[in-house]
Amino acid sequence: GICDGISMNHDGMKYPLASRELIADSIETMAMAHKFDGLVLIGNCDKIVPGMLMAACRLNIPSVYVGGGPMLTGGYQGEKLDLTRGMFEAVGQYVAGTIDAAQLEEMELNACPSCGSCAGLFTANTMNSLVEALGIGLPGNGTIPAPYGQRRALAKKAGQQAVALVKQGLRPRDIMTLNAFHNAVSLDMAIGGSSNTVLHLLAIASEAGVPLELEAFDRISARVPNICKLSPSGIHRMSDLHEAGGISAVLKQMAEQGLLSLEEKTVTGQTLGSNISQAKVLNPEVIRPFSDP
């Protein structure tokens, strides 16, 4: 899948959504050609996640999505640094003459310290978070950093759940209902996710035969406050959100405000409400209370 960041300022910017459709078509082709009973969908970056979810809905065979996880946050001279809130700005600083080539290179060498999707809440990490609300990914999928052993354990659990779902006959369209999509949009507003999710959630819903409407985003945004401020709009990164309790903690706070449909099925075999029942906010500066969004 093409990442927005590497396709800017040339004709490649016309191809991200085309690549999303190619991903969905490729998965459909292989799954149908080999008559798979179920799928573990492993992705991470921008168009891969929605392309995989589109394919899951189109095929409607038992499926679990698991992402590769966000990278750790970089740093330079005591300041946190990532690709967008750091390196993209640094290029502009270099052109403006406020930093020199040596400083730019040092920042470049320290901006992305591990494998994983970019450390802030851009399209990839937003979609990897929304799958928790959609129910098609396991709790922790959005925020467990890529290099952590927890991420490897999550992947193993995803494989186990795929087998369980095949035995149960629980399929993506049983999970990704209209209420599940509304939960995802609500989470999107709470964490201040990428605006690209509008393009992707509508496309996934279309494949699922779910009548999600563009107006739902505006309607839901009017009643769900923004309680997380992550890069590029804020200083916190995905690893900070993980340490603060992760997406489950955000969802738990939302549930307490009556902002979610909690009876939706998920790939855990339990409801969304059950998945988040034990979650706690561990840092109210990263996940703010609804009384002080």
Side-chain angles (χ1 to χ4, degrees):
I2 300 173
C3 171
D4 292 332
I6 61 170
S7 60
M8 293 190 294
N9 200 34
H10 56 71
D11 285 348
M13 200 63 207
K14 299 174 182 177
Y15 288 86
L17 290 182
S19 80
R20 185 189 70 184
E21 312 307 307
L22 279 172
I23 291 162
D25 292 348
S26 298
I27 294 169
E28 177 192 4
T29 299
M30 296 305 293
M32 292 300 293
H34 295 280
K35 285 299 175 188
F36 291 152
D37 296 313
L39 293 172
V40 177
L41 299 162
I42 305 172
N44 220 28
C45 205
D46 290 7
K47 309 308 172 298
I48 301 172
V49 187
M52 287 182 160
L53 299 187
M54 289 166 67
C57 292
R58 188 186 301 174
L59 290 160
N60 204 32
I61 59 176
S63 303
V64 178
Y65 172 82
V66 60
M71 71 174 62
L72 298 176
T73 307
Y76 174 70
Q77 295 186 346
E79 296 291 329
K80 290 184 177 180
L81 180 68
D82 64 47
L83 182 65
T84 298
R85 192 179 177 91
M87 283 315 304
F88 287 176
E89 295 167 357
V91 172
Q93 291 173 322
Y94 173 69
V95 171
T98 58
I99 63 173
D100 60 28
Q103 289 172 301
L104 180 65
E105 183 178 12
E106 187 175 352
M107 292 176 75
E108 183 180 354
L109 293 173
N110 287 281
C112 301
S114 75
C115 60
S117 47
C118 300
L121 190 63
F122 313 111
T123 305
N125 287 330
T126 304
M127 290 303 303
N128 274 299
S129 297
L130 298 193
V131 298
E132 294 192 40
L134 279 171
I136 198 69
L138 295 169
N141 186 79
T143 62
I144 297 173
Y148 282 17
Q150 287 173 282
R151 179 59 61 172
R152 184 182 292 271
L154 187 77
K156 183 173 182 178
K157 179 67 173 176
Q160 294 169 338
Q161 284 306 116
V163 174
L165 293 176
V166 170
K167 292 178 179 177
Q168 296 167 21
L170 188 61
R171 300 168 184 267
R173 293 187 199 178
D174 301 326
I175 293 169
M176 289 190 277
T177 64
L178 182 58
N179 281 341
F181 277 97
H182 286 165
N183 285 341
V185 175
S186 297
L187 173 63
D188 203 1
M189 301 307 157
I191 61 177
S194 167
S195 57
N196 283 335
T197 54
V198 178
L199 294 170
H200 299 322
L201 288 176
L202 289 172
I204 299 162
S206 177
E207 294 287 358
V210 170
L212 179 65
E213 299 177 342
L214 181 61
E215 290 73 21
F217 291 82
D218 185 51
R219 185 173 66 251
I220 291 171
S221 71
R223 65 186 181 91
V224 180
N226 176 214
I227 60 171
C228 296
K229 198 82 166 172
L230 281 76
S231 174
S233 62
I235 61 170
H236 300 129
R237 271 71 175 187
M238 295 305 292
S239 57
D240 298 314
L241 180 56
H242 177 63
E243 292 169 6
I247 295 300
S248 288
V250 177
L251 292 172
K252 180 71 180 301
Q253 280 206 160
M254 295 174 67
E256 291 169 353
Q257 299 296 315
L259 296 173
L260 295 174
S261 299
L262 298 176
E263 296 305 312
E264 299 305 300
K265 299 174 183 177
T266 75
V267 292
T268 66
Q270 307 296 320
T271 63
L272 180 67
S274 178
N275 288 351
I276 65 174
S277 62
Q278 303 302 310
K280 294 180 180 179
V281 174
L282 303 177
N283 186 339
E285 287 299 312
V286 178
I287 304 174
R288 298 182 69 90
F290 275 88
S291 59
D292 185 23

